[in-house]
């Protein structure tokens, strides 16, 4: 059974930093592309960052230069370092594992990030 468990969310002041973690189990982690999504109040879930199985990265324009995605295949964990946080970054953050042979991907349960002004 595949499980993705996010952690590291919380309340932070604008300008602060948080590091999210997502630990995966039940899958060959190193073969999967890992992604972070977020869903703010009244908004649709949106892609924030991607790290492919080969290590390539991509970011949404809104977070490029502030957020950094990384992974530790030995720990089956993907991270999202978030710097210079702003109130508009407030959202529930989800990690997702994806691969060409997986129809819909695997999702974590989400972790809340709240940025106060």
């Amino acid at each position: 059974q595949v499980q993705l468990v996010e952690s590291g969310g919380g309340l932070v002041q604008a300008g602060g930093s948080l590091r999210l973690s997502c630990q995966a189990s039940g899958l060959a982690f190193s073969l999967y592309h890992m992604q972070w999504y977020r869903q703010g109040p009244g908004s649709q879930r949106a892609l924030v960052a991607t790290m492919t199985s080969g290590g390539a990265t991509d970011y949404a324009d809104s977070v490029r230069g502030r957020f950094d995605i990384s992974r530790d295949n030995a720990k089956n964990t993907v991270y999202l370092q978030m710097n210079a946080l702003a109130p508009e970054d407030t959202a529930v953050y989800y990690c997702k594992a994806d691969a060409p042979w997986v129809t819909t991907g695997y999702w974590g349960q989400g972790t809340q990030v709240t940025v106060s002004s």
Side-chain angles (χ1 to χ4, degrees):
Q1 182 182 358
V2 176
Q3 278 194 312
L4 301 176
V5 180
E6 300 98 335
S7 61
L11 174 64
V12 64
Q13 288 189 331
S17 298
L18 281 175
R19 188 195 196 202
L20 305 183
S21 300
C22 170
Q23 183 162 34
S25 60
L27 75 171
F29 181 80
S30 64
L31 300 181
Y32 282 74
H33 308 317
M34 298 302 299
Q35 298 174 315
W36 285 97
Y37 284 74
R38 67 184 181 187
Q39 186 167 14
S43 301
Q44 291 188 326
R45 196 171 296 188
L47 179 61
V48 173
T50 298
M51 178 170 262
T52 69
S53 57
T57 59
D58 195 17
Y59 298 90
D61 289 343
S62 59
V63 306
R64 187 173 286 113
R66 299 189 298 124
F67 289 12
D68 180 56
I69 187 171
S70 61
R71 64 193 294 165
D72 185 338
N73 288 338
K75 296 182 179 179
N76 285 4
T77 301
V78 62
Y79 304 97
L80 186 67
Q81 177 67 44
M82 305 185 295
N83 301 320
L85 284 162
E88 51 265 37
D89 295 316
T90 294
V92 178
Y93 284 73
Y94 300 88
C95 68
K96 181 185 179 185
D98 207 357
W101 57 87
V102 178
T103 304
T104 59
Y106 302 109
W107 292 90
Q109 83 290 346
T111 185
Q112 176 71 47
V113 172
T114 303
V115 185
S116 63
S117 57

